[in-house]
Amino acid sequence: MKIAVIGVGLIGGSMALKLKAGGSATYILGIDMNNAHLRTAKELAIIDEISTLENAVENSDLIILAIPVDAAKALISTVLDLIKPHQTVMDAGSTKAGIVESIKDHPKRSRFVAFHPMWGTENSGPEAAVYDSFSGRAAVICDRENSAEDALKTVENVAESLGMHLIYMSAADHDLHTAYISHISHITSYALANTVLEKEQEEETIFQLASTGFSSTVRLAKSHPEMWVPIFKQNRENVLDVLNEHISQLNKFKEALENKDFEVLADLISNANKIRSILQK
């Protein structure tokens, strides 16, 4: 099938590479506000054609929105206005409640499938696109009962072609769970990076002493605000709830150290170790 990819960066580019390689996509049209990204995507054979939105929608079977969540929310109605009854629209955003709410009364709502591939890196742009990056990862489809059966099947086939396993849930549940397992991780990483930058003024010392643990913990702090501020904005209430709990947990460590209560400190660490068995399933 012919696919239009709106946003040819990390996620859109990686999806395009895999779908082309697997034969699911016979031709890919790329749309992006960044002309340099479009040229690079064409040079890297991520897309076959640089296109306008109108041309891409008219000539595609599937339209993928792989852009920041605020941009996707603003554009989705326009895309649905342009499509024909046989076409399918999907997104790849990290929040879902906002986008599904924005089109709940759209006459072509059933042609849209809310989709979140649970993968990403701190890098951006088409140069960061990675073939086979989604293999073995989870993909979430939200509110499937509101999507047409054939549209849903198209997106399920896309997930299969990407090598992903599917999970179904409501948009509200999705946003709550991602606040815990993704969004709070980014805030923690940003905060730790800011803490070190505030307290450690010598860049060379940071570079020389940075351990693997520190580097992995602050890796997410390299993620761009253009992507993450909209995510925090759209999932604000859930993120605040998780952040309050996180601050409470940090205070427990702080109080244990202040009180020289190392037994409590050991208990906190032992309790945290339980996450290992969950992640190793």
Side-chain angles (χ1 to χ4, degrees), residues 72-73 75-78 80 89 97-114:
K73 182 180 175 182
L75 188 62
I76 181 66
S77 290
T78 299
L80 288 175
V89 182
I99 194 168
V100 299
E101 176 66 21
S102 71
I103 57 167
K104 65 178 182 178
D105 297 321
H106 196 286
K108 299 177 186 175
R109 165 63 181 90
S110 67
R111 304 311 307 168
F112 173 70
V113 180

Side-chain angles (χ1 to χ4, degrees), residues 103-180:
I103 57 167
K104 65 178 182 178
D105 297 321
H106 196 286
K108 299 177 186 175
R109 165 63 181 90
S110 67
R111 304 311 307 168
F112 173 70
V113 180
F115 181 81
H116 183 195
M118 299 298 294
W119 174 83
T121 75
E122 69 276 19
N123 302 312
S124 61
E127 302 94 336
V130 181
Y131 166 78
D132 217 22
S133 52
F134 299 104
S135 293
R137 305 281 184 169
V140 182
I141 289 180
C142 294
D143 299 347
R144 61 176 169 175
E145 66 276 7
N146 295 325
S147 300
E149 186 175 342
D150 63 310
L152 181 63
K153 185 62 178 177
T154 295
V155 175
E156 288 173 335
N157 288 340
V158 166
E160 182 179 351
S161 298
L162 293 173
M164 309 189 81
H165 61 274
L166 280 166
I167 299 172
Y168 302 91
M169 63 180 66
S170 70
D173 285 346
H174 167 274
D175 287 3
L176 175 62
H177 295 315
T178 53
Y180 273 99

Side-chain angles (χ1 to χ4, degrees), residues 2-280:
K2 290 184 177 181
I3 297 177
V5 177
I6 303 173
V8 295
L10 172 70
I11 300 300
S14 296
M15 292 178 73
L17 284 174
K18 180 66 174 180
L19 294 174
K20 284 182 70 176
S24 296
T26 55
Y27 196 80
I28 295 184
L29 300 95
I31 309 97
D32 201 298
M33 292 183 65
N34 189 320
N35 289 326
H37 281 181
L38 285 170
R39 290 192 295 269
T40 300
K42 185 72 162 58
E43 291 166 2
L44 295 175
I46 293 173
I47 61 175
D48 299 297
E49 178 184 335
I50 295 173
S51 177
T52 63
L53 177 66
E54 291 76 12
N55 177 71
V57 171
E58 183 179 355
N59 292 286
S60 299
D61 303 296
L62 171 67
I63 300 95
I64 302 174
L65 281 77
I67 51 181
V69 292
D70 57 346
K73 182 180 175 182
L75 188 62
I76 181 66
S77 290
T78 299
V79 173
L80 288 175
D81 288 341
L82 293 171
I83 64 169
K84 301 178 182 68
H86 70 281
Q87 293 174 291
T88 299
V89 182
M90 64 186 288
D91 76 323
S94 293
T95 61
K96 286 289 169 277
I99 194 168
V100 299
E101 176 66 21
S102 71
I103 57 167
K104 65 178 182 178
D105 297 321
H106 196 286
K108 299 177 186 175
R109 165 63 181 90
S110 67
R111 304 311 307 168
F112 173 70
V113 180
F115 181 81
H116 183 195
M118 299 298 294
W119 174 83
T121 75
E122 69 276 19
N123 302 312
S124 61
E127 302 94 336
V130 181
Y131 166 78
D132 217 22
S133 52
F134 299 104
S135 293
R137 305 281 184 169
V140 182
I141 289 180
C142 294
D143 299 347
R144 61 176 169 175
E145 66 276 7
N146 295 325
S147 300
E149 186 175 342
D150 63 310
L152 181 63
K153 185 62 178 177
T154 295
V155 175
E156 288 173 335
N157 288 340
V158 166
E160 182 179 351
S161 298
L162 293 173
M164 309 189 81
H165 61 274
L166 280 166
I167 299 172
Y168 302 91
M169 63 180 66
S170 70
D173 285 346
H174 167 274
D175 287 3
L176 175 62
H177 295 315
T178 53
Y180 273 99
I181 55 91
S182 174
H183 303 168
I184 191 61
S185 299
H186 282 78
I187 287 183
T188 301
S189 187
Y190 292 132
L192 178 58
N194 285 337
T195 299
V196 173
L197 291 170
E198 180 69 25
K199 291 294 186 179
E200 178 56 79
Q201 300 298 321
E202 296 184 19
E203 292 185 13
E204 187 63 24
T205 301
I206 296 174
F207 175 77
Q208 290 179 350
L209 297 182
S211 65
T212 302
F214 175 79
S215 297
S216 62
T217 303
V218 299
R219 174 182 63 84
L220 297 176
K222 293 183 281 186
S223 302
H224 289 194
E226 293 83 2
M227 178 66 69
W228 279 94
V229 170
I231 291 172
F232 297 146
K233 178 182 176 182
Q234 288 201 25
N235 206 20
R236 176 177 171 273
E237 291 186 7
N238 286 325
V239 171
L240 279 173
D241 180 58
V242 179
L243 187 56
N244 285 329
E245 176 59 32
H246 186 47
I247 291 170
S248 173
Q249 292 296 327
L250 288 174
N251 280 328
K252 290 180 181 179
F253 279 87
K254 178 174 177 285
E255 290 169 5
L257 285 168
E258 287 175 338
N259 298 329
K260 299 181 182 179
D261 195 336
F262 301 114
E263 288 187 9
V264 169
L265 192 63
D267 288 342
L268 290 169
I269 294 172
S270 295
N271 186 67
N273 288 164
K274 296 174 183 176
I275 201 70
R276 181 186 305 159
S277 62
I278 296 173
L279 296 178
Q280 289 177 341

